[in-house]
Amino acid sequence: MKTTTLGGLKKTDFEAIVDGKQVSLFILTNKNGAEVAATNFGAKIVSIHVPDKTGKPTDVVLGKSNIRDYMNDQEPYFGAICGRTANRIAFGRFLLDGEKYELAVNNGPNSLHGGIKGYNSVVWDAKQIDEQSLQLSYLSPDGEEGFPGNLQVTVIYRLTDDNALEIEYQAETDKTTILNLTNHSYFNLSGEGDPYIGDHELQINATSFLPTNDVAIPLGRPEEVEDNTPFDFRSPKTIGAQIDDENTQLIYGNGYDHNFIIRKNEENELSFAARAVSPKTGIVLDTYTTEPGVQLYTGNFLDGSFVGKNGHTYPKRSAFCLEMQHYPDSIHHPDYPSVVLVPGETFRSKTIYRFSAG
Ligand code: BGC
């Protein structure tokens, strides 16, 4: 078993007892020189090393170098699983089966990423299945952060031999509830520490997206992307090409912070979602998901105010997220794919982040 990652992170720097449970760092390796490190605190992906076009292992996600830094509140979502409901619920209130539920309001007037202590801040039970896979489970008790039902959640991280990180989600409840699970990795394919992702080419398999109000709640129906407008990523263009356009949606988001509707032939199929490429390293990220949407977030609120891995600070737009998920605020939009889970049903979802270089 490795005790140090390719980037020099030490397992011993991640060992701690948090909420009475053991926290550790788990290192997954494959036959092709890739490595993924994750901690069971928040189920966070801590590093992903993949070869660049010259074969040099490059860490393509932002993160921190020890458990203390992950436990303080500065950007608590790096690499994490967000839940019970990732993204926003307007005013932190919803009705389900005729009952009213109130959640913590932690983002303007809304509830974000599961509340004050979401799945990104709890300790998951970890079982390293083999050198390439890690199983993380969490029993989210009835009433936690205001959500109904005991929810048993399992996430498997698997590093495949073709340099993909596969994420499989499964969940069951004993009372009707809502859920929206995602992984919130912050990517920079030029290597974490590189200051700006505006030069990355991005393509999104979406002909429509969800415009929002000024606090990031979707207005309603998806809007078709128009030729050559900022939200048209049907053909590759750089993330920075139009990010500073005088566009109301970009002004509201301080950049891209929007959900795109992934094109699918049928609901829940595993389909291509997006591709990003760094011109510096030649590293390509191809993503696939069974989820209906992808939130493109361009690190608009990073501000370089704290120290991450290797002493790097992470300025505004030094990373992008492709969060595979159901649409924001779905519980208030009956026409969106449902986020309701009932007892006796199993929620299943899969997302793949595949890396190559050329
Ligand atoms: C949200 C952003 C938020 C970020 C926090 C994203 O999913 O859409 O608005 O600032 O998460 O890391």
Side-chain angles (χ1 to χ4, degrees):
M1 281 276 174
K2 293 183 78 172
T3 54
T4 309
T5 68
L6 288 172
L9 298 176
K10 295 189 193 70
K11 268 189 160 210
T12 47
D13 288 336
F14 284 80
E15 265 149 34
I17 304 290
V18 179
D19 297 341
K21 293 186 189 168
Q22 179 67 47
V23 167
S24 305
L25 185 72
F26 300 87
I27 305 173
L28 309 178
T29 52
N30 73 359
K31 296 196 187 86
N32 287 310
E35 182 199 85
V36 169
T39 171
N40 58 323
F41 176 69
K44 293 172 205 259
I45 299 289
V46 173
S47 62
I48 301 180
H49 282 86
V50 289
D52 73 2
K53 62 185 173 195
T54 67
K56 182 174 152 238
T58 305
D59 187 359
V60 292
V61 287
L62 276 48
K64 303 179 183 180
S65 47
N66 58 65
I67 190 63
R68 281 185 318 283
D69 288 355
Y70 273 106
M71 287 183 62
N72 84 36
D73 254 3
Q74 291 162 325
E75 191 36 69
Y77 304 114
F78 275 175
I81 295 294
C82 295
R84 188 171 299 196
T85 55
N87 217 314
R88 291 169 178 81
I89 295 179
F91 303 111
R93 287 196 294 264
F94 64 97
L95 264 179
L96 189 63
D97 278 354
E99 296 245 355
K100 280 188 189 163
Y101 294 95
E102 293 264 348
L103 311 173
V105 163
N106 60 342
N107 186 260
N110 305 316
S111 180
L112 177 70
H113 294 333
I116 309 283
K117 189 170 178 178
Y119 295 176
N120 60 293
S121 304
V122 301
V123 182
W124 296 58
D125 297 319
K127 186 169 128 199
Q128 184 147 1
I129 302 171
D130 55 34
E131 283 187 349
Q132 294 182 226
S133 30
L134 173 69
Q135 176 179 305
L136 296 164
S137 326
Y138 180 63
L139 175 63
S140 169
D142 186 15
E144 184 182 41
E145 287 290 336
F147 293 99
N150 292 295
L151 189 76
Q152 178 65 58
V153 189
T154 304
V155 171
I156 295 178
Y157 288 137
R158 185 177 302 112
L159 173 61
T160 64
D161 280 330
D162 62 348
N163 290 358
L165 171 64
E166 288 188 0
I167 309 179
E168 267 176 23
Y169 304 82
Q170 195 172 312
E172 285 171 3
T173 184
D174 60 2
K175 194 171 171 190
T176 302
T177 191
I178 58 171
L179 84 165
N180 191 11
L181 302 174
T182 196
N183 178 274
H184 205 306
S185 286
Y186 282 69
F187 297 100
N188 186 322
L189 303 179
S190 301
E192 67 82 32
D194 173 86
Y196 184 55
I197 44 76
D199 63 350
H200 286 44
E201 285 215 332
L202 179 67
Q203 181 182 7
I204 305 179
N205 185 20
T207 56
S208 57
F209 78 108
L210 293 170
T212 69
N213 65 13
D214 60 350
V215 288
I217 297 293
L219 298 173
R221 292 166 64 89
E223 187 176 297
E224 296 285 309
V225 298
E226 308 262 339
D227 281 346
N228 306 319
T229 56
F231 290 86
D232 181 14
F233 283 100
R234 290 170 296 179
S235 311
K237 72 174 180 207
T238 62
I239 295 177
Q242 290 172 290
I243 200 168
D244 290 318
D245 278 16
E246 278 293 311
N247 171 289
T248 309
Q249 287 300 313
L250 290 172
I251 292 165
Y252 284 167
N254 197 17
Y256 295 102
D257 195 355
H258 294 80
N259 218 271
F260 288 75
I261 314 299
I262 300 169
R263 284 176 52 202
K264 290 193 189 279
N265 294 316
E266 54 188 88
E267 220 184 312
N268 298 326
E269 77 170 347
L270 184 66
S271 56
F272 172 61
R275 158 178 272 225
V277 185
S278 157
K280 291 184 184 150
T281 58
I283 294 175
V284 180
L285 167 61
D286 282 306
T287 64
Y288 304 83
T289 188
T290 58
E291 287 295 308
V294 52
Q295 181 89 4
L296 170 64
Y297 169 59
T298 45
N300 312 314
F301 302 110
L302 293 173
D303 61 5
S305 63
F306 62 89
V307 179
K309 288 182 282 187
N310 300 308
H312 292 140
T313 54
Y314 300 126
K316 182 173 174 181
R317 299 187 183 150
S318 58
F320 65 95
C321 303
L322 290 168
E323 307 160 42
M324 308 302 170
Q325 57 185 243
H326 277 56
Y327 312 156
D329 199 33
S330 288
I331 191 62
H332 296 128
H333 296 266
D335 50 329
Y336 289 180
S338 174
V339 288
V340 175
L341 184 70
V342 298
E345 261 182 21
T346 302
F347 167 83
R348 284 197 177 84
S349 171
K350 183 170 181 172
T351 289
I352 300 174
Y353 294 101
R354 177 175 296 127
F355 300 91
S356 54

